[in-house]
Amino acid sequence: MNDFLSLFRGRKDVFAVRWEKASKSGYMPSYQYDPYHYRSHKMNGGTFANYPHKTYLPLTDYEIQKHLNGIQQIGVYPLLQDNTSWFLVADFDKQNWKEEAVAFLNSCKERSIPAYLERSRSGNGGHVWIFFDKPYPAIRSRKVFISILEQSGAFSMFDKSSSFDRLFPNQDFLSGKGLGNLIALPFFKLAMENGNSCFVNPETFEPYSDQWQFLNEIKRISIEVLDKFFQEISTTQNRPINVASCGSPKSQNGKLSITLQQNIRIQRDGLSTPLINFLKEELNFANSEFIIKKKMGKKTFGTERFFK
């Protein structure tokens, strides 16, 4: 239990539990309240959402044990109140999640970053966990690992088919109006019995035979190393871009000239007809509305990630 508690650290003053009703399911914060008082509130037309006499139930060893025993499934809120976290998780959840999760794992390995793959509760996706030796600012860790994801080929702002879904924490800062996104804890007994909600070998995707021993062997990356990665990435991204002159770009000597200003200008006569048609149909641009919603932890359903 101690290894589990030391690794999967989120907020202690609140946690979430998974609920299911008919064909719907989700997570909600766990509360403590007087059921008799709430019943009176409900009889007078009130709802649980506007019931004022409820408080968050703190995360205790007892609640964790119920999760491990399969009585309730818990989600933790990784973003602490000072906007740091003890870990970062990359979530992959489409058909090709295995290939892209492994690509990300390999990129981490090349940089000597310890990273570990958990198969999700459903078995249809995976979480790559990176643990820190101390709480680290989410705005920095997210920038570091988004860069590594892009370099690994597991994620691109222009790739609609990527299985990468999001990072946890999913925000750089708490908005002050919510708790941020939660992530389900692994080792939920009922899912583990099906080979899910546990850590797997990325070469075979078979669960490790002794999950508790595996936890004992997990390594954490130091925040000093994370700072070095952050500084390297910031330096690279802040380098000035040499752009063509402000006039119309021209194709000279068989080379295509592209001007980067507030927009991207490509000289049409430097492109072949098939390439022009490809760019018209396939070139995607990130939808800033989607990015803003995701950073703020708001629902993105119905908001396109890309537009042409």
Side-chain angles (χ1 to χ4, degrees), residues 134-197:
K134 296 175 185 176
Y136 191 70
I139 190 172
R140 293 193 168 204
S141 62
R142 285 170 45 78
K143 187 173 184 178
V144 167
F145 288 101
I146 285 174
S147 175
I148 294 175
L149 277 160
E150 290 176 332
Q151 293 174 47
S152 73
F155 166 68
S156 168
M157 294 293 287
F158 303 102
D159 184 5
K160 292 185 288 186
S161 64
S162 172
S163 69
F164 169 71
D165 182 55
R166 68 186 70 190
L167 292 177
F168 297 94
N170 195 34
Q171 302 86 12
D172 294 338
F173 304 101
L174 288 170
S175 66
K177 297 180 180 179
L179 300 167
N181 285 64
L182 63 91
I183 183 166
L185 288 179
F187 285 28
F188 179 55
K189 184 178 180 180
L190 301 183
M192 287 187 75
E193 291 172 351
N194 295 319
N196 302 326
S197 190

Coordinates of all heavy atoms in Angstrom, one line a residue, residues 134-197:
K134 N 9.5 15.2 -6.9 CA 8.9 16.3 -6.1 C 7.8 16.9 -7.0 O 7.8 16.7 -8.2 CB 9.9 17.3 -5.8 CG 11.0 16.9 -4.9 CD 12.1 18.0 -4.7 CE 13.3 17.5 -3.8 NZ 14.3 18.5 -3.7
P135 N 6.8 17.6 -6.4 CA 5.8 18.2 -7.2 C 6.5 19.2 -8.2 O 7.4 20.0 -7.8 CB 4.9 19.0 -6.2 CG 5.2 18.2 -4.9 CD 6.6 17.8 -5.0
Y136 N 6.0 19.2 -9.4 CA 6.6 20.1 -10.5 C 5.5 20.9 -11.2 O 4.4 20.3 -11.4 CB 7.3 19.2 -11.5 CG 8.2 19.9 -12.5 CD1 9.3 20.5 -12.0 CD2 7.8 20.0 -13.8 CE1 10.2 21.2 -12.9 CE2 8.6 20.6 -14.7 CZ 9.8 21.2 -14.3 OH 10.6 21.9 -15.2
P137 N 5.7 22.1 -11.6 CA 4.7 22.9 -12.2 C 4.1 22.3 -13.5 O 4.9 21.9 -14.4 CB 5.5 24.2 -12.5 CG 6.6 24.3 -11.5 CD 7.0 22.9 -11.3
A138 N 2.8 22.2 -13.5 CA 2.2 21.6 -14.7 C 2.5 22.3 -16.0 O 2.6 21.7 -17.0 CB 0.7 21.5 -14.4
I139 N 2.6 23.6 -15.9 CA 2.8 24.4 -17.1 C 4.2 24.0 -17.8 O 4.3 24.0 -19.0 CB 2.8 25.9 -16.9 CG1 2.8 26.7 -18.2 CG2 3.9 26.3 -15.9 CD1 2.6 28.2 -18.0
R140 N 5.1 23.5 -16.9 CA 6.4 23.1 -17.5 C 6.4 21.7 -17.9 O 6.9 21.3 -19.0 CB 7.5 23.3 -16.4 CG 7.7 24.8 -16.1 CD 9.0 25.0 -15.3 NE 9.4 26.4 -15.3 CZ 10.6 26.9 -15.1 NH1 11.6 26.0 -14.9 NH2 10.9 28.1 -15.0
S141 N 5.8 20.8 -17.0 CA 5.8 19.4 -17.4 C 5.0 19.1 -18.7 O 5.4 18.3 -19.5 CB 5.3 18.5 -16.2 OG 3.9 18.8 -15.9
R142 N 3.9 19.8 -18.8 CA 3.1 19.6 -20.0 C 3.8 20.1 -21.2 O 3.7 19.4 -22.3 CB 1.8 20.4 -19.8 CG 0.8 19.7 -18.9 CD -0.4 20.6 -18.5 NE -1.0 21.2 -19.7 CZ -1.8 20.6 -20.5 NH1 -2.1 19.4 -20.4 NH2 -2.2 21.3 -21.6
K143 N 4.5 21.2 -21.1 CA 5.3 21.7 -22.3 C 6.4 20.7 -22.7 O 6.6 20.4 -23.9 CB 5.9 23.0 -22.0 CG 6.6 23.7 -23.2 CD 7.0 25.1 -22.8 CE 7.6 25.8 -24.0 NZ 8.0 27.2 -23.7
V144 N 7.1 20.1 -21.7 CA 8.1 19.2 -22.0 C 7.6 17.9 -22.7 O 8.1 17.5 -23.7 CB 8.8 18.7 -20.6 CG1 9.7 17.5 -20.9 CG2 9.7 19.9 -20.1
F145 N 6.5 17.4 -22.1 CA 6.1 16.1 -22.7 C 5.2 16.2 -23.9 O 5.1 15.3 -24.7 CB 5.4 15.3 -21.6 CG 6.3 14.7 -20.6 CD1 6.5 15.4 -19.4 CD2 7.2 13.7 -20.9 CE1 7.4 14.9 -18.4 CE2 8.1 13.2 -20.0 CZ 8.2 13.8 -18.8
I146 N 4.6 17.4 -24.2 CA 4.0 17.6 -25.5 C 5.0 17.7 -26.5 O 4.9 17.1 -27.6 CB 3.1 18.9 -25.4 CG1 1.8 18.7 -24.6 CG2 2.8 19.4 -26.8 CD1 1.0 20.0 -24.4
S147 N 6.2 18.3 -26.2 CA 7.3 18.3 -27.2 C 7.8 16.9 -27.5 O 8.0 16.6 -28.7 CB 8.4 19.2 -26.6 OG 9.5 19.2 -27.5
I148 N 7.9 16.1 -26.5 CA 8.4 14.7 -26.7 C 7.4 13.9 -27.5 O 7.8 13.1 -28.3 CB 8.7 14.1 -25.3 CG1 9.9 14.8 -24.7 CG2 9.1 12.6 -25.5 CD1 10.3 14.3 -23.3
L149 N 6.1 14.1 -27.2 CA 5.1 13.4 -27.9 C 5.2 13.8 -29.4 O 5.1 12.9 -30.3 CB 3.7 13.8 -27.4 CG 3.2 13.0 -26.2 CD1 2.1 13.8 -25.5 CD2 2.7 11.7 -26.6
E150 N 5.4 15.1 -29.7 CA 5.4 15.5 -31.1 C 6.7 14.9 -31.8 O 6.6 14.5 -32.9 CB 5.5 17.0 -31.1 CG 4.2 17.7 -30.8 CD 4.2 19.2 -30.7 OE1 5.3 19.7 -30.5 OE2 3.2 19.8 -30.9
Q151 N 7.8 14.9 -31.1 CA 9.0 14.4 -31.7 C 9.0 12.9 -31.9 O 9.6 12.3 -32.8 CB 10.2 14.8 -30.8 CG 10.5 16.2 -30.7 CD 11.6 16.6 -29.7 OE1 12.7 16.0 -29.7 NE2 11.4 17.6 -28.9
S152 N 8.2 12.2 -31.0 CA 8.0 10.7 -31.2 C 7.1 10.4 -32.3 O 7.1 9.2 -32.8 CB 7.5 10.1 -29.9 OG 6.1 10.4 -29.8
G153 N 6.4 11.3 -32.8 CA 5.4 11.0 -33.9 C 4.1 10.5 -33.4 O 3.2 10.2 -34.2
A154 N 4.0 10.4 -32.1 CA 2.7 9.9 -31.5 C 1.6 11.0 -31.5 O 0.4 10.7 -31.3 CB 2.9 9.5 -30.0
F155 N 2.0 12.2 -31.7 CA 1.0 13.3 -31.6 C 1.5 14.4 -32.6 O 2.6 14.8 -32.7 CB 0.9 13.9 -30.2 CG 0.2 15.2 -30.1 CD1 -1.2 15.3 -30.4 CD2 0.9 16.4 -29.8 CE1 -1.8 16.5 -30.3 CE2 0.2 17.6 -29.7 CZ -1.2 17.6 -30.0
S156 N 0.5 15.0 -33.3 CA 0.7 16.2 -34.1 C -0.5 17.0 -34.1 O -1.6 16.5 -34.1 CB 1.1 15.8 -35.6 OG 1.0 16.9 -36.4
M157 N -0.3 18.3 -34.1 CA -1.5 19.2 -34.1 C -2.3 19.1 -35.4 O -3.4 19.5 -35.5 CB -1.0 20.7 -34.0 CG -0.4 21.0 -32.7 SD -1.6 21.0 -31.3 CE -2.5 22.4 -31.6
F158 N -1.6 18.5 -36.4 CA -2.3 18.3 -37.7 C -2.8 16.9 -38.0 O -3.3 16.7 -39.1 CB -1.3 18.8 -38.8 CG -0.8 20.2 -38.7 CD1 0.5 20.4 -38.1 CD2 -1.6 21.3 -39.0 CE1 0.9 21.7 -38.0 CE2 -1.1 22.5 -38.8 CZ 0.1 22.8 -38.3
D159 N -2.7 16.0 -37.1 CA -3.0 14.6 -37.3 C -4.3 14.3 -36.6 O -4.4 14.2 -35.4 CB -1.9 13.7 -36.8 CG -2.2 12.2 -37.1 OD1 -3.2 12.0 -37.8 OD2 -1.4 11.4 -36.7
K160 N -5.4 14.1 -37.4 CA -6.7 13.9 -36.8 C -6.8 12.4 -36.3 O -7.7 12.1 -35.5 CB -7.8 14.2 -37.8 CG -8.0 15.6 -38.1 CD -9.1 15.9 -39.0 CE -8.9 15.4 -40.4 NZ -10.0 15.8 -41.4
S161 N -6.0 11.5 -36.8 CA -6.1 10.1 -36.5 C -5.3 9.7 -35.3 O -5.3 8.5 -34.9 CB -5.7 9.3 -37.7 OG -4.3 9.5 -38.0
S162 N -4.6 10.6 -34.6 CA -3.7 10.3 -33.5 C -4.5 9.7 -32.4 O -5.6 10.1 -32.1 CB -3.0 11.5 -33.0 OG -2.3 11.2 -31.8
S163 N -4.0 8.6 -31.8 CA -4.7 8.0 -30.6 C -4.4 8.7 -29.3 O -5.1 8.5 -28.3 CB -4.2 6.5 -30.5 OG -2.9 6.5 -30.0
F164 N -3.5 9.6 -29.3 CA -3.2 10.5 -28.1 C -4.4 11.3 -27.9 O -4.9 12.1 -28.8 CB -2.0 11.3 -28.3 CG -1.8 12.3 -27.2 CD1 -1.4 11.9 -26.0 CD2 -2.0 13.7 -27.5 CE1 -1.3 12.9 -24.9 CE2 -1.9 14.6 -26.5 CZ -1.5 14.2 -25.2
D165 N -4.9 11.3 -26.7 CA -6.1 12.1 -26.3 C -5.8 13.3 -25.5 O -6.2 14.4 -25.8 CB -7.1 11.2 -25.6 CG -8.4 12.0 -25.2 OD1 -9.0 12.5 -26.2 OD2 -8.7 12.0 -24.0
R166 N -5.0 13.1 -24.4 CA -4.7 14.3 -23.5 C -3.6 13.9 -22.5 O -3.3 12.7 -22.4 CB -6.0 14.7 -22.8 CG -6.5 13.7 -21.7 CD -7.8 14.2 -21.1 NE -8.9 14.1 -22.1 CZ -10.1 14.5 -21.9 NH1 -10.4 15.2 -20.8 NH2 -11.0 14.4 -22.8
L167 N -3.1 14.9 -21.9 CA -2.2 14.7 -20.7 C -3.0 15.0 -19.4 O -3.9 15.8 -19.4 CB -1.1 15.7 -20.8 CG 0.0 15.6 -21.9 CD1 1.0 16.7 -21.9 CD2 0.6 14.2 -21.9
F168 N -2.6 14.3 -18.4 CA -3.0 14.6 -17.1 C -1.8 15.0 -16.2 O -0.9 14.2 -16.2 CB -3.7 13.4 -16.4 CG -4.9 12.9 -17.1 CD1 -4.9 11.9 -18.1 CD2 -6.2 13.4 -16.8 CE1 -6.0 11.5 -18.8 CE2 -7.3 13.0 -17.5 CZ -7.2 12.0 -18.5
P169 N -1.8 16.2 -15.6 CA -2.9 17.2 -15.6 C -3.2 17.7 -17.0 O -2.3 17.8 -17.8 CB -2.4 18.3 -14.7 CG -1.2 17.7 -14.0 CD -0.7 16.6 -14.8
N170 N -4.5 18.1 -17.2 CA -4.9 18.5 -18.5 C -5.0 20.1 -18.5 O -5.4 20.6 -19.5 CB -6.3 18.0 -18.7 CG -6.7 18.1 -20.2 OD1 -5.9 18.1 -21.1 ND2 -8.0 18.4 -20.5
Q171 N -4.5 20.7 -17.5 CA -4.5 22.2 -17.4 C -3.1 22.6 -16.9 O -2.5 21.9 -16.1 CB -5.6 22.7 -16.5 CG -7.0 22.3 -16.8 CD -7.4 21.0 -16.2 OE1 -6.7 20.5 -15.3 NE2 -8.5 20.5 -16.6
D172 N -2.7 23.8 -17.3 CA -1.5 24.4 -16.7 C -1.8 25.0 -15.4 O -0.9 25.0 -14.5 CB -1.0 25.6 -17.7 CG -0.5 25.0 -19.0 OD1 -0.2 23.8 -19.1 OD2 -0.5 25.8 -20.0
F173 N -3.0 25.6 -15.2 CA -3.4 26.2 -13.9 C -4.8 25.9 -13.6 O -5.7 25.6 -14.5 CB -3.3 27.7 -14.1 CG -2.0 28.2 -14.5 CD1 -1.7 28.6 -15.8 CD2 -0.9 28.4 -13.6 CE1 -0.5 29.1 -16.2 CE2 0.3 28.8 -13.9 CZ 0.5 29.2 -15.3
L174 N -5.1 25.8 -12.3 CA -6.5 25.7 -11.9 C -7.2 27.0 -12.2 O -6.7 28.1 -12.0 CB -6.6 25.4 -10.4 CG -6.2 24.0 -10.0 CD1 -6.1 23.9 -8.5 CD2 -7.2 23.0 -10.5
S175 N -8.5 26.9 -12.7 CA -9.2 28.1 -13.1 C -9.8 28.9 -11.8 O -10.2 30.0 -11.9 CB -10.3 27.8 -14.0 OG -11.3 27.0 -13.3
G176 N -9.8 28.2 -10.7 CA -10.5 28.7 -9.5 C -11.9 28.4 -9.4 O -12.6 28.6 -8.4
K177 N -12.5 27.7 -10.5 CA -13.9 27.3 -10.5 C -14.1 25.8 -10.5 O -15.2 25.4 -10.4 CB -14.6 27.9 -11.8 CG -14.6 29.4 -11.8 CD -15.2 29.9 -13.1 CE -15.2 31.4 -13.2 NZ -15.9 31.9 -14.4
G178 N -13.0 25.1 -10.5 CA -13.2 23.6 -10.5 C -11.9 23.0 -9.9 O -11.0 23.6 -9.4
L179 N -11.9 21.6 -10.1 CA -10.8 20.8 -9.5 C -9.8 20.4 -10.6 O -8.8 19.7 -10.3 CB -11.4 19.6 -8.8 CG -12.4 19.9 -7.7 CD1 -13.1 18.6 -7.3 CD2 -11.6 20.4 -6.5
G180 N -10.1 20.7 -11.9 CA -9.3 20.2 -12.9 C -9.7 18.8 -13.3 O -10.6 18.2 -12.6
N181 N -9.1 18.2 -14.3 CA -9.4 16.8 -14.7 C -8.9 15.8 -13.8 O -7.9 16.0 -13.2 CB -8.9 16.6 -16.1 CG -9.7 17.3 -17.2 OD1 -9.8 18.5 -17.3 ND2 -10.4 16.5 -18.1
L182 N -9.6 14.7 -13.7 CA -9.2 13.6 -12.8 C -8.7 12.5 -13.7 O -9.0 12.4 -14.9 CB -10.4 13.1 -12.0 CG -11.6 12.5 -12.7 CD1 -11.5 11.0 -12.9 CD2 -12.9 12.8 -12.0
I183 N -7.9 11.6 -13.1 CA -7.5 10.3 -13.7 C -7.9 9.2 -12.8 O -7.7 9.2 -11.6 CB -6.0 10.4 -14.1 CG1 -5.7 9.1 -14.9 CG2 -5.1 10.5 -12.9 CD1 -4.4 9.1 -15.6
A184 N -8.4 8.1 -13.4 CA -8.7 6.9 -12.7 C -7.5 6.2 -12.2 O -6.5 6.1 -12.9 CB -9.5 6.0 -13.5
L185 N -7.5 5.8 -10.9 CA -6.4 5.1 -10.4 C -6.3 3.7 -10.9 O -7.4 3.1 -11.2 CB -6.5 5.0 -8.9 CG -6.2 6.3 -8.1 CD1 -6.4 6.0 -6.6 CD2 -4.8 6.8 -8.3
P186 N -5.1 3.1 -11.1 CA -5.0 1.7 -11.5 C -5.3 0.8 -10.4 O -5.6 1.3 -9.3 CB -3.5 1.6 -12.0 CG -2.8 2.7 -11.2 CD -3.8 3.8 -11.0
F187 N -5.2 -0.5 -10.6 CA -5.3 -1.5 -9.6 C -6.8 -1.7 -9.1 O -7.0 -2.1 -7.9 CB -4.4 -1.3 -8.4 CG -2.9 -1.7 -8.7 CD1 -2.4 -1.6 -10.0 CD2 -2.1 -2.1 -7.7 CE1 -1.1 -1.9 -10.3 CE2 -0.8 -2.4 -8.0 CZ -0.3 -2.3 -9.3
F188 N -7.7 -1.3 -9.9 CA -9.1 -1.5 -9.5 C -9.4 -3.0 -9.7 O -9.3 -3.6 -10.8 CB -10.1 -0.7 -10.4 CG -11.5 -0.9 -10.1 CD1 -12.0 -0.7 -8.8 CD2 -12.4 -1.3 -11.1 CE1 -13.4 -0.9 -8.6 CE2 -13.8 -1.5 -10.8 CZ -14.2 -1.3 -9.6
K189 N -9.7 -3.7 -8.7 CA -9.7 -5.2 -8.6 C -10.6 -5.8 -9.7 O -10.1 -6.7 -10.4 CB -10.2 -5.7 -7.3 CG -10.2 -7.2 -7.1 CD -10.7 -7.6 -5.8 CE -10.6 -9.1 -5.6 NZ -11.0 -9.6 -4.3
L190 N -11.8 -5.3 -10.0 CA -12.7 -6.0 -10.9 C -12.1 -5.9 -12.4 O -12.2 -6.8 -13.2 CB -14.1 -5.3 -10.9 CG -14.8 -5.4 -9.5 CD1 -16.2 -4.8 -9.6 CD2 -14.8 -6.8 -9.0
A191 N -11.4 -4.8 -12.7 CA -10.8 -4.6 -14.0 C -9.5 -5.4 -14.1 O -9.2 -6.0 -15.1 CB -10.5 -3.1 -14.3
M192 N -8.8 -5.5 -13.0 CA -7.5 -6.2 -13.0 C -7.7 -7.7 -13.2 O -6.9 -8.4 -13.8 CB -6.8 -6.1 -11.6 CG -6.1 -4.7 -11.4 SD -5.2 -4.6 -9.9 CE -3.7 -5.6 -10.4
E193 N -8.9 -8.2 -12.8 CA -9.2 -9.6 -13.1 C -9.3 -9.9 -14.6 O -9.2 -11.1 -15.0 CB -10.5 -10.0 -12.3 CG -10.4 -10.0 -10.8 CD -11.7 -10.2 -10.1 OE1 -12.7 -10.1 -10.8 OE2 -11.7 -10.3 -8.9
N194 N -9.5 -8.9 -15.4 CA -9.6 -9.0 -16.8 C -8.3 -8.6 -17.5 O -8.3 -8.4 -18.7 CB -10.8 -8.2 -17.4 CG -12.1 -8.8 -16.9 OD1 -12.3 -10.0 -16.8 ND2 -13.0 -7.9 -16.6
G195 N -7.3 -8.4 -16.7 CA -6.0 -7.9 -17.3 C -5.9 -6.5 -17.6 O -5.0 -6.0 -18.3
N196 N -6.8 -5.7 -17.0 CA -6.8 -4.2 -17.2 C -6.6 -3.5 -15.9 O -6.5 -4.1 -14.9 CB -8.2 -3.8 -17.8 CG -8.5 -4.5 -19.1 OD1 -7.6 -4.8 -19.9 ND2 -9.8 -4.8 -19.4
S197 N -6.4 -2.2 -16.0 CA -6.2 -1.3 -14.9 C -4.9 -1.8 -14.2 O -4.8 -1.7 -12.9 CB -7.4 -1.4 -13.9 OG -7.2 -0.4 -12.9

